[in-house]
Each structure stands twice: as C-alpha cells, then as structure tokens.
Amino acid sequence: MLKKILSYVKEYKKYALLSPVFVVVEVIMDIIIPYLMSLIIDMGIETKSQTAILKIGGLLIISVLIALGTGILSGYFATKASAGFAKNLRLGIYKKIQSFAFKDIEEFSTGSLMTRMSTDVQNVQMSFQMSTRLAIRSPLMIAFSLFMALRINRGLAFNFLIIFPIIGLGIAFIFFNAYPIFKKLFKIIDKMNTIISENLSGIRVVKNFNKMDHESEKFDETAYDLYLKSKRVSKLMALQNPLMQFCIYIVSLIIAWLGTKYILVGSLKTGQLLSMLTYSFQIQISLMLLSFVLIQIIISANSVTRIYEVLDHETSMSENKDGIKDVKNGEIIFDNVNFSYIDDENKCAIKNINLKIKSGDKLGIIGATGSGKSSLVSLIPRLYDVSSGSVKVGGFDVKDYNLKALRDSVSMVLQKNQLFSGTVKENLKWGDENASDQEIIHAAKIAQAHDFIMEAEDGYDRPVQRGGSNFSGGQRQRLCIARSLLKDPKILILDDSTSALDTQTEANIIKELNKTRPDMTRIIISQRIKSIKDSDYILVMDKGEIIDIGSHEDLIKTSPIYREISETQSEGGDFDEPKKD
Ligand SMILES: Nc1ncnc2c1ncn2[C@@H]1O[C@H](COP(=O)(O)OP(=O)(O)OP(=O)(O)O)[C@@H](O)[C@H]1O
Ligand SMILES: [Mg+2]
C-alpha cells in the first residue's frame, strides 16, 4: 500500500534522497559543536591558552556555518520533494476518479473524494516531509549524542536512559488511543464536505424552499460531532508536551546533581558537564520531534489507507482500450436487458427490454417520472453496464468498443446538464476541440442558440460562470444540445433536454435536426406528447418496462396510458408549457 503511494514521488525522488544526505552532515556538525565548546572551556579558558581558543573557536565557527547551511538545504529539499509528491499524488487520484464509472463515484460520494484529494493528501505530504528530514535527523541525533555522552562520562550518561521507557510508554498510549478517533474524524469530515458541496451547488433550491434553518441544523450537528472528536484528539495530543517537559526537568536535575558531585571529586571537567547538558537537551528535543513525527504518522496512516482505497479501486466498468474504434452506424439493439443500480435483481430500474432501433430512426420515449427512461438510454453510451442481457450499437456489444469511441458516437444530453466555467465557445468545443468557428455557429444554429449568443456583446466569447449559472435553464439546454451536436454523433439522445423551451423553439430544433442530420438516430425523451408525436415510433414506459410501442396515431388507439397522457395535455392546453426564457 505504502509502496504504491510512494511511487508517486517520481521525478522528485532525487530531492527526497538529497534531504537525508544533508541531514546526516547537519547532525554530525550538531554533535561536534558541543564537543568543541567543551574543548574551548577545558583546554582554552581553563588553561588560558589563546592559540587553543583561536584554533578551536575557528573550527567552531566553521562547524556552525556548515550546520546552518546543510540545515537550510535539507529543509529546502524536503519541502520541494514533499510538495512535488503531493502534486503527483493529487493528479494520480484525479486521473483515477476520471476513469471511474458513475457507479464508483456514487459509491465513494463526492464529499469523500474531495476530502481524500485535499486533507488526506495534505496529511501524507506532511508526513513525507517529516520523514525525509526529522524522522532521520532525530534518531541519528539521539544515537550520536548518546555515544558522545557515554564517551565523556559513562556513569552520568547511563542516567539518560531512564527517559526512554517513560517517553515510549507515553507515545504508545497516545498512539493507540488517537488512531481510532482519527479514523472516525475523517468520516465526519467526509460527511461535512458532502453537505457543503451539496448545499452550495443547490443553494438556489435551499433558499427557494426556505430550508436555510433546516440545512444549518444539519450542518450544525455534523460540525458539533467534529468538535467533540477533535476535542478528544486534542486532549490526547496535549499530553505530549507535559510528558516531554517532565522528562527534561528530571534529566537536567540528575545531570546537575550528579555532575557537580563528579566535578568535586575531579572525574569531570566544567566544559564536559556543559556539553553533557547540551547532549541531554539534544536527545530530549530529538525525542520530542520524533514523537511529533510519530503523531503525524498516526494521522496520516488513516489518510494513506483512504487514498489507497481510491487508487486501488477497480473501476466497475472494465474498459476495452483496444476495443472497436469505429461505430459503423446508429443501430441500437437491446437484447433481454435488465439493469439494477444496486446489483439487486429484485430491484431493477430496467426490466426485460427487447428492442431494435434502426439507424436513422426517430424515437420518442414517454412515461411517468421514475419509470426508467433515463436509465434505459444511459445504457447506450455505457454510462452504466447492464446487469444481464446486452446492448448493441452499430452491430456490436457496447462492451466491445473503445469507450471513448463509443461515447464520441453516442452523444447524450443529460437531464441534469452542466456547463463549465470558461466561455461559450470553450464550452461548445467540448464536443469537438478542433471545431472551426463555422462548425460551432452551424451547431448553435441547429440548437437555436445562435441568436441569443449573438445578443450578448461578446457573443461566443461571453463568459460562462461555474455550472452555467449566468444562463437561463432554456439557454443552458440549447448550449448543451449544440455541444453534443459538435461531436457529429451517429446517435443523439436528448433526455428531457428541451423541457425548458417553448414549443416553437423546440419544434425548430427538431425540424433543423431532421433537415441537417437525417441519418443520425435521434432519441427524444419528453414528458410532453407534442415533443415526440412526430417520431417514427414512441416507447411508453412504466416501472422499468416498455408497456407500449408504436406511432402516435397507433398509440392513441391502442395504449390507454398514452391516450390518457395525451388527453390530459390537450385538455388543459399545454399545462406544462414553460415560460419563454
Ligand atoms: N443513480 C441512481 N442510483 C440508484 N437508483 C437510481 C439512480 N438513478 C435512478 N434511480 C432509480 O431508478 C428508477 C428509474 O429512474 P430514471 O431516472 O430512469 O427515471 P426517469 O423515467 O428518467 O424519471 P424522470 O422522468 O423523473 O427523469 C427510479 O426508481 C430511481 O429512483
Ligand atoms: Mg429521467
């Protein structure tokens, strides 16, 4: 697991290796400095030898400068390596998420994926930075300092050892108690991010339904939960400081007390006592830093697992990269298709579908909400995979195609369409990045979008805000249709994509499509009979099944449901006719 995550260090490996090299030099200098200081006192000051003072003093200055330089360099390389590592890791997760099927994203939830890409990567980055520097510096420092202290005075140095079990036990206590809390903490952060992202993207609905208080309460609950868990974790972490202070005082007392005794009997010099004290501080500071590293590792151990879960997730849609790259025509065959979102054959959104749509056919789909219209068509560009049976496009199973090739040929305007920040032109170019201005204008004209685009001062360069929020619902729908047309698909699926348009605009789009793309298979899902009545044939769906099929005239005669929908819609006039935008 760790190996896989560390493989993302990639080109920053050299910096990750350089940092410890400089750390080693820095530690050696930090060890030599107290030794040189003791020499200055014992050989220079006590014997009043000026040459010794100058010589050792010079060495001391050089050592300090080297320690400083290598310290800065190792810090610099550690930061560079860890920041680069985090960048690669984020990119890796992002790419993995792009390869996910809808189902995988729903499984993780967007909030959780966001936390994994932000907080979790940040934790791992921090641990990595500490590992390339502190995790190497501290043990080295402890080992060298202990070695020097033992050389100076064995009896005194042995007293240092009592702090190791105390600190060891203390850290183990913190570790075992904090780890499970951190695990829960991240789950709460996931939940909070989900609430935030859902809420901000749906802020208009929240305000419209005056649900601000309700939503705030929901948020408050999660925030309070987070507060409780953070408080518990902080309490545990706070134990670390007094523990360290306690050890520092104990050891200083022992050294001062025993040290003066040794000096009095002449087995220790003043300078040596001073360096003993310095080494003891170095050991304790290193222990303290090491415990910081350990705690950071506790925090990020959870993050590593969570990142690994994403990177290791087998996408539920196996992609056939070497699959067929050319979709011959727009023929679609559903052969005994059943489909369930939750892999439960008793809860199928689509049941027993057998259907052949000839290339170039105009097909309408109507049915109550939740009857499975969107689910049915989403199987054609393989947004989801069937649970049983097969869907064939252009004569081959959709699973035999290269996914990109299939989706380029099957263009679907989703019911929940989305524009992205950029300009109108940039958004349209999602359909074909090499499209010329003429092609873009042509597609926009078919989609009845050209006129309103040109009404704006900057025309096709008009900025689009995030999610297309500066366009009306109907304008967004038309831009999405134009974007899909630019793919020049063999099959075009409009999933309730004209619902916000007035009847005339909708009729114009359909007329233009029939005129300019007669060979393209066109599937129109709508709740309005008017939108589909000119189709070659119409499917009437109910509870995941096709219950009736035929032309408008046939269905009026043979399908009670269709007749009922038709009568209700003509009685009330166009009761669901939306306002022109
Ligand atoms: N992503 C999903 N996960 C789980 N269940 C889903 C999902 N999307 C739809 N469903 C369920 O599948 C069934 C069919 O939904 P579908 O979206 O296909 O209906 P629809 O006919 O397109 O409805 P509408 O006219 O409201 O768009 C519904 O019961 C719905 O709850
Ligand atoms: Mg739908």
Side-chain angles (χ1 to χ4, degrees), residues 106 341 349 367-376 384 415 495-496 527:
E106 281 158 15
Y341 283 101
T369 117
S371 57
K373 303 181 295 294
S374 300
S375 308
L376 179 78
Y384 293 92
Q415 190 166 13
D495 185 357
D496 225 0
Q527 305 275 8

Side-chain angles (χ1 to χ4, degrees), residues 324-338:
I324 310 165
K325 292 223 165 61
D326 184 33
V327 179
K328 268 209 310 278
N329 57 46
E331 181 194 71
I332 307 164
I333 298 173
F334 282 82
D335 188 9
N336 264 325
V337 172
N338 287 291

